[in-house]
Amino acid sequence: MIKNSDTSFGIVNIAIHWITALLVFGLFGVGLWMVDLSYYSEWYRTAPDLHKSFGLTLLALTLFRIIWKLINPSPKALSSNKLETMAGKLAHFAIYALLLTIMVSGYLISTADGRGIEWFWLFEVASLGEFVPNQEDIAGDIHEWAAYILIGLVVVHIIAALKHHFVDKDKTLVRMVKVQKEEHQD
C-alpha cells in the first residue's frame, strides 16, 4: 500500500518518517561534532559541506512530506482522549515548523557571504545574499536553539510512541513501522 488509509500509513509515509528521523539525528550529531573541529582537521571543510548537502536533502524531503500530507491525509488517531490527540497534532505541527526553521536558518548562515551551497558537489543552490547585518550570527543562534528544541520534542515524540505501544497497547507505533493490511468489515 503506497498511500495512507483511514487506519494505516502507506509505505511512502513510513519511509519518509524513518529517513527523516535518521537525517535529523545524524545532522544533529554532526552539527555538535563539527563546531569543535580545528582548522587543521581533515574534516574542517568536508563535514560542513556534507552537513549542508544532507540538510538540503532533508529540506526537499520535508517539503515533499508536507505536500504528501496535504494530498494524502494521515490515518485517524487511535486515542479516544481528545486532549492527547490535540497534543499529538500540535507536536507534529511544531516538528514541521522547527524543521523548516532549522533548514531556512541553515541556508541563511551558509549563504550570507553571497556564496551558494554545493549539493554533494553536483550542483549549487544559489545564494540570496545577506538580508540583515550579522545574518550568519543571528541565523546561527536560531539554527542552534531550534535544533535543541527539535531534539527535545523528538524525545517526547518517542516517549509518546512507546507509551502508546506499551501502556495503551494500541497500534500507533506499529502502523509507523510496517504497512498494515486493511481490515474489512463485512
Side-chain angles (χ1 to χ4, degrees):
M1 183 167 68
I2 292 175
K3 295 177 91 177
N4 298 341
S5 70
D6 284 344
T7 60
S8 179
F9 287 103
I11 191 68
V12 171
N13 224 85
I14 292 170
I16 292 171
H17 177 271
W18 293 108
I19 293 167
T20 297
L22 288 172
L23 285 169
V24 165
F25 281 111
L27 286 165
F28 184 75
V30 168
L32 287 175
W33 168 70
M34 74 181 186
V35 295
D36 290 329
L37 292 174
S38 75
Y39 179 79
Y40 300 103
S41 169
E42 63 185 88
W43 287 98
Y44 183 75
R45 284 198 179 20
T46 307
D49 288 344
L50 287 171
H51 185 81
K52 294 172 197 178
S53 291
F54 280 109
L56 287 171
T57 303
L58 181 58
L59 175 59
L61 188 63
T62 302
L63 293 174
F64 174 80
R65 187 177 189 177
I66 291 168
I67 292 166
W68 184 256
K69 188 171 183 59
L70 292 173
I71 63 173
N72 186 34
S74 297
K76 293 179 180 143
L78 296 176
S79 176
S80 59
N81 182 325
K82 290 183 184 194
L83 183 61
E84 186 176 86
T85 301
M86 187 172 60
K89 288 181 183 199
L90 183 61
H92 281 100
F93 177 81
I95 288 171
Y96 286 118
L98 286 164
L99 282 169
L100 292 172
T101 299
I102 291 164
M103 293 177 284
V104 169
S105 62
Y107 172 83
L108 293 174
I109 295 165
S110 301
T111 60
D113 63 1
R115 290 183 290 168
I117 302 170
E118 289 285 327
W119 185 76
F120 294 111
W121 305 278
L122 296 174
F123 64 86
E124 182 176 293
V125 175
S127 167
L128 297 175
E130 186 177 63
F131 296 105
V132 296
N134 299 321
Q135 175 175 306
E136 61 277 3
D137 293 332
I138 296 165
D141 288 342
I142 293 168
H143 191 75
E144 180 181 9
W145 281 103
Y148 281 117
I149 294 166
L150 175 65
I151 291 299
L153 190 53
V154 166
V155 168
V156 171
H157 178 69
I158 292 167
I159 291 168
L162 294 173
K163 177 230 175 236
H164 276 283
H165 190 72
F166 293 109
V167 177
D168 299 344
K169 299 193 186 307
D170 66 27
K171 292 185 178 182
T172 299
L173 177 60
V174 172
R175 66 184 186 175
M176 189 48 80
V177 175
K178 64 181 183 175
V179 176
Q180 304 291 304
K181 291 184 180 181
E182 284 298 304
E183 296 176 13
H184 297 286
Q185 294 179 354
D186 295 323

